[in-house]
Amino acid sequence: MSSDARILIVGAGVGGLALAQALRRGGIDVTVYEQDPTPTIRNQGYRIHIDSNGNAALRTCLSAEALDLVRRSSGHNGDLFAAYTHHLDQVMVQTFPEIADDDITCVDRNAFRHALLTGMADDVHFGKRLSGYQLTDSGRVRVEFADGGGDEGDVLVGADGVGSAVRRQLLPDATVRDLGLRCLYGRMTITETTEPLIPQDLHRGFSWGRRRRRVRRRVRTGAIPRTARRDGGLSDDHARRHAATSRRRGCRPVRLLLRAVVEAGRRYHRLVALGDP
């Protein structure tokens, strides 16, 4: 690709931002457009696992400043991946004893996204919802936004997720297949009250539990940022938004989860109940 090419990326999630960081580091002109009005508008997901290939890619793609921030805001490295019944009986385990101290094994999605924004303030534009694109007579691509603005580049990358507006236009017959899997997530600050409720193995990495009804609970402590391991949790701003959303929805997912784990015993039930709504 010519070094004077201009790349447009639609979608400022972790994929779009990682690509933008790599292109920018390679001297390519890149601009990212995201429909969310701000990078903190929603509390999406929580944990992403990064393996050795991912670590190598991050070292190649990111600046030293961005990589350092990803590392400092990542979770504690764990050497265990395990599955449990709803009674916390272990049914599967894998261990990873040779993880380097400077490797990144798990990150909080929102913290990771913010770290990937490092140095990109002038290149990422929020509040820009794509309405469509068209090829120009000169062979370039022009994007149009719902607010009436537009931009032009040499390559357009659709990194705008499962509901991609780019994909809808490029591949109108493509459909999204719903696999029927649903996960319920929670987050809990580790305090003197909550820490004794957590089995020791759960401090060693990523663990999950499953019932016959296919209600899945993911339990882990490893994705809490290193700098906020014990007094972390949602920021005040995140907490207010999350609580407002929960009130509107009546916290139905939380009630379903509590009913699903009621037979698991008082200790596990209390552990789930103490999480953020």
Side-chain angles (χ1 to χ4, degrees), residues 185-249:
Y185 299 92
R187 193 188 314 229
M188 181 188 70
T189 303
I190 298 178
T191 66
E192 293 180 355
T193 300
T194 59
E195 184 157 23
L197 300 172
I198 304 172
Q200 286 302 308
D201 274 356
L202 267 62
H203 287 287
R204 293 178 54 193
F206 180 61
S207 303
W208 61 275
R210 184 174 181 177
R211 289 191 66 210
R212 292 179 180 176
R213 287 185 180 180
R214 294 182 174 271
V215 176
R216 180 173 293 183
R217 292 90 57 195
R218 295 194 175 187
V219 184
R220 91 285 175 261
T221 61
I224 298 174
R226 289 188 174 102
T227 55
R229 174 68 168 75
R230 295 189 178 272
D231 57 353
L234 296 176
S235 67
D236 290 343
D237 186 47
H238 273 111
R240 283 193 295 271
R241 287 199 307 274
H242 197 59
T245 301
S246 299
R247 284 195 295 272
R248 288 195 299 271
R249 296 177 179 174

Side-chain angles (χ1 to χ4, degrees), residues 99-231:
I99 298 175
D101 290 340
D102 62 346
D103 272 358
I104 302 164
T105 62
C106 56
V107 290
D108 176 274
R109 179 184 290 270
N110 283 327
F112 190 33
R113 188 187 190 194
H114 278 79
L116 291 174
L117 284 165
T118 301
M120 301 289 293
D122 295 332
D123 303 314
V124 181
H125 305 277
F126 289 90
K128 292 291 187 179
R129 184 167 63 85
L130 182 76
S131 59
Y133 69 87
Q134 59 182 335
L135 298 179
T136 69
D137 293 339
S138 63
R140 303 188 86 203
V141 59
R142 178 168 180 80
V143 294
E144 303 290 345
F145 301 106
D147 64 2
D151 199 357
E152 192 171 303
D154 297 288
V155 176
L156 171 63
V157 177
D160 45 343
V162 67
S164 172
V166 176
R167 188 196 66 241
R168 272 199 308 272
Q169 182 173 338
L170 180 65
L171 301 170
D173 296 328
T175 58
V176 176
R177 182 183 177 189
D178 187 347
L179 299 179
L181 179 65
R182 301 293 185 270
C183 292
L184 298 176
Y185 299 92
R187 193 188 314 229
M188 181 188 70
T189 303
I190 298 178
T191 66
E192 293 180 355
T193 300
T194 59
E195 184 157 23
L197 300 172
I198 304 172
Q200 286 302 308
D201 274 356
L202 267 62
H203 287 287
R204 293 178 54 193
F206 180 61
S207 303
W208 61 275
R210 184 174 181 177
R211 289 191 66 210
R212 292 179 180 176
R213 287 185 180 180
R214 294 182 174 271
V215 176
R216 180 173 293 183
R217 292 90 57 195
R218 295 194 175 187
V219 184
R220 91 285 175 261
T221 61
I224 298 174
R226 289 188 174 102
T227 55
R229 174 68 168 75
R230 295 189 178 272
D231 57 353

